[in-house]
Amino acid sequence: MTSTESVIHTGTAATRERRTPSWSVLAVAAVAVVIVPLGVSGTPLLLPGIGTDLGGGLAPLQWVVNAYNVAAASTMLATGVLADQYGRRRVFRLGAGMYLASLLVTVLAQSTLVIDVARAAAGIGAGAIVTSMTAIVANSFDGPARAKAFGLVGVVIGAGLALGPTISGFIAQLLNWRAVFGFHAVIVAAGLLGSLVLTESRSKGGNRFDFLGAGLFTAALLLLTIGTIEGPQSGWADARTIALFAGAVLTFVLFVLHERRTSNPMFELGLFADRQFLTVNLVNIEFAFGFIGLLLLLPAFLFSVGGLGNGAAGLRILLLTVPIFLVPMVSGRLSAAGVPLRLILVGGLALIGLGAFGLTFVEGDSALWALAVPLAVTGAGVGVLNGVMDGAAVGSVPNTSAGMAAGMFNTIRLAAESLASVVVVALVASFVNTRLADASLPADLNAAKAADELAAGDVKQLFAQHPDQVSTLASAHASAFHQVMWISVVLAALSVVAVLVLLRRQDGER
């Protein structure tokens, strides 16, 4: 969700109108696109408040985050094609209007299910905002001015990602979680108002959209997501869980077969023959698990194990997100100076793995530095990857395939982030349940239900009802968090090996 120019559908056999670059366009773009990273990084902190007010259990609370990511991942390519064909300003307004309506519904919602549906609509709107607005910026600037424009938009996106948890935490603590979505609504409304200064543009002779491919991809992603969420609830060996995973595999196989045969594919699978393109897409797995997964787990961990409130938790999450905002310029300069891509990727992955390793030692009574150092190291690693991955994905293919490569990379990134969000919470719930099942709990404390509440960060009522079990519950949660961090360490190590193997012949090396 943090890409800028890479999400442009650059199938520019299409003609582009030449206009005088307008910095008012850039101002509107900055206001509009900041809502997308705010929606990604600021929402996980709100889940405990939503759970306390509206209930619903672990699965519905997970969908508050996952519905947004799955919808955006599934529609990113579609909204880009529609923007090129039917007008970028028009698609931006439709997307922003849908996002605004979804926020108003969320503010007024009286059930978690309603919020889930609204966040899915917000995800579709987010995809439309990003793809249409980046295309508008590209259409409004040329040459060095375009590079500067996208650089500034990238800074805005990075700032939104970094500050999202802190802003959400403080607003939620001062007011409530509904006020956070109200604040988001004000931003989207400002972007819609700013669209009055935009002029319409579209591409002539744009590509047709692969609706069947998109449908199969979305269905596979949904089945996999639902199966992962249901696993801790129904059991991983339950017939329904197995059926969901089997359906996901079958649907994905059908998707691949369709993409290989259609003349107008959603994914040009042949691009994966390029080692660099394949590598950066594989790196997305640890990027999503080590960052997005951690971003989702941290608030719950800080609430239950650290005993912190929204505001204090939001401040500590800054330790993770601020380096992500600052470090990309460093890795970008290293790349420009000729440092091999594989070394930069290995460095970023190693930092994420080292940070995860440090987090395996953090306990509720640990000193602030013990949390700050691994979070900052992890954030630096994510920042290193952010500085080169988008450019590496698009730069690895011919110019004629740049638009397809950009769309594929961002769709895969969003899908990986969505799945990582589901997997890490499911793992925590499973690990906590296993730990509590072996403990001597009172009869009125259900291990599975307590595990779900801990994984979701909905601990206020749980701890109040069982004050004599707080130490046991927090210890189980800390143990589960550490286990997930160990998995991240292993994934980082495997990712380093994959990069070294796949890019072993880069720069004349074997």
Side-chain angles (χ1 to χ4, degrees):
M1 301 289 291
T2 59
S3 61
T4 54
E5 190 170 8
S6 67
V7 296
I8 302 172
H9 292 255
T10 55
T12 50
T15 61
R16 189 171 56 82
E17 297 179 28
R18 301 287 178 180
R19 295 188 176 88
T20 302
S22 170
W23 291 96
S24 61
V25 171
L26 188 57
V28 175
V31 172
V33 300
V34 74
I35 191 61
V36 179
L38 284 177
V40 171
S41 66
T43 304
L45 206 68
L46 307 178
L47 299 185
I50 295 172
T52 299
D53 287 352
L54 305 180
L58 179 62
L61 285 176
Q62 280 188 270
W63 278 109
V64 174
V65 172
N66 298 327
Y68 183 90
N69 290 338
V70 170
S74 303
T75 59
M76 181 73 74
L77 288 173
T79 54
V81 172
L82 292 173
D84 284 343
Q85 290 185 343
Y86 300 109
R88 290 139 185 171
R89 184 182 66 176
R90 178 177 297 161
V91 170
F92 168 74
R93 286 177 170 175
L94 288 172
M98 178 178 290
Y99 205 131
L100 180 59
S102 74
L103 289 168
L104 296 177
V105 170
T106 302
V107 170
L108 299 173
Q110 297 302 312
S111 77
T112 306
L113 179 60
V114 171
I115 296 179
D116 293 340
V117 175
R119 292 310 289 166
I124 297 173
I129 288 171
V130 171
T131 53
S132 59
M133 187 52 72
T134 49
I136 288 171
V137 172
N139 190 67
S140 302
F141 294 87
D142 290 296
R146 181 192 285 184
K148 290 180 180 179
F150 277 112
L152 289 173
V153 172
V155 168
V156 170
I157 290 178
L161 193 65
L163 298 176
T166 303
I167 292 172
S168 292
F170 275 113
I171 293 177
Q173 185 157 316
L174 288 174
L175 298 171
N176 53 44
W177 61 268
R178 296 181 191 272
V180 178
F181 291 114
F183 171 68
H184 290 181
V186 172
I187 295 175
V188 178
L192 266 175
L193 184 63
S195 70
L196 293 174
V197 306
L198 302 177
T199 52
E200 186 61 279
S201 66
R202 58 173 57 86
S203 296
K204 297 177 181 178
N207 295 327
R208 293 182 296 107
F209 183 66
D210 178 17
F211 286 101
L212 179 57
L216 289 171
F217 179 82
T218 302
L221 186 58
L222 280 173
L223 288 170
L224 187 57
T225 302
I226 295 170
T228 307
I229 291 176
E230 286 294 322
Q233 311 289 321
S234 306
W236 297 106
D238 182 77
R240 183 171 59 177
T241 304
I242 294 173
L244 286 167
F245 284 129
V249 171
L250 176 60
T251 307
F252 184 73
V253 169
L254 292 174
F255 167 74
V256 172
L257 293 174
H258 168 73
E259 294 300 287
R260 291 175 62 88
R261 295 177 180 178
T262 183
S263 60
N264 188 54
M266 174 183 173
F267 276 15
E268 181 54 67
L269 299 178
L271 294 180
F272 288 108
D274 182 277
R275 290 187 177 188
Q276 182 170 305
F277 185 75
L278 174 62
T279 300
V280 293
N281 278 285
L282 288 176
V283 168
N284 269 329
I285 298 173
E286 171 57 12
F287 179 91
F289 196 95
F291 171 49
I292 299 299
L294 177 59
L295 193 64
L296 191 65
L297 294 185
L298 261 183
F301 177 80
L302 294 173
F303 292 153
S304 69
V305 179
L308 302 179
N310 282 318
L315 277 177
R316 281 163 176 75
I317 294 174
L318 273 178
L319 299 168
L320 170 68
T321 55
V322 166
I324 298 170
F325 172 52
L326 298 175
V327 173
M329 63 184 73
V330 176
S331 57
R333 288 178 181 177
L334 290 175
S335 179
V339 176
L341 174 65
R342 71 184 186 122
L343 296 183
I344 297 175
L345 293 178
V346 164
L349 290 166
L351 287 172
I352 294 175
L354 184 61
F357 175 73
L359 289 171
T360 63
F361 298 99
V362 176
E363 302 287 351
D365 57 354
S366 296
L368 180 58
W369 68 266
L371 176 69
V373 172
L375 286 183
V377 169
T378 300
V382 174
V384 167
L385 298 182
N386 261 350
V388 297
M389 284 175 63
D390 294 280
V394 178
S396 64
V397 302
N399 288 338
T400 53
S401 299
M404 175 67 76
M408 288 172 63
F409 175 76
N410 282 282
T411 298
I412 291 171
R413 171 184 281 183
L414 286 168
E417 291 175 358
S418 174
L419 289 174
S421 300
V422 178
V423 168
V424 295
V425 175
L427 287 173
V428 167
S430 294
F431 292 151
V432 170
N433 189 20
T434 300
R435 181 75 175 265
L436 292 180
D438 296 331
S440 299
L441 299 178
D444 61 338
L445 178 55
N446 181 273
K449 186 174 184 295
D452 288 351
E453 292 175 345
L454 288 168
D458 187 12
V459 299
K460 188 175 181 179
Q461 187 175 359
L462 177 66
F463 285 1
Q465 291 176 341
H466 305 281
D468 56 329
Q469 298 296 320
V470 169
S471 177
T472 300
L473 294 169
S475 176
H477 193 181
S479 175
F481 179 81
H482 295 158
Q483 287 177 271
V484 174
M485 290 302 99
W486 276 115
I487 293 173
S488 185
V489 172
V490 173
L491 277 177
L494 292 175
S495 299
V496 166
V497 172
V499 170
L500 292 175
V501 170
L502 289 171
L503 298 183
R504 64 187 180 278
R505 294 181 181 174
Q506 290 288 97
D507 307 297
E509 297 182 17
R510 291 184 179 272

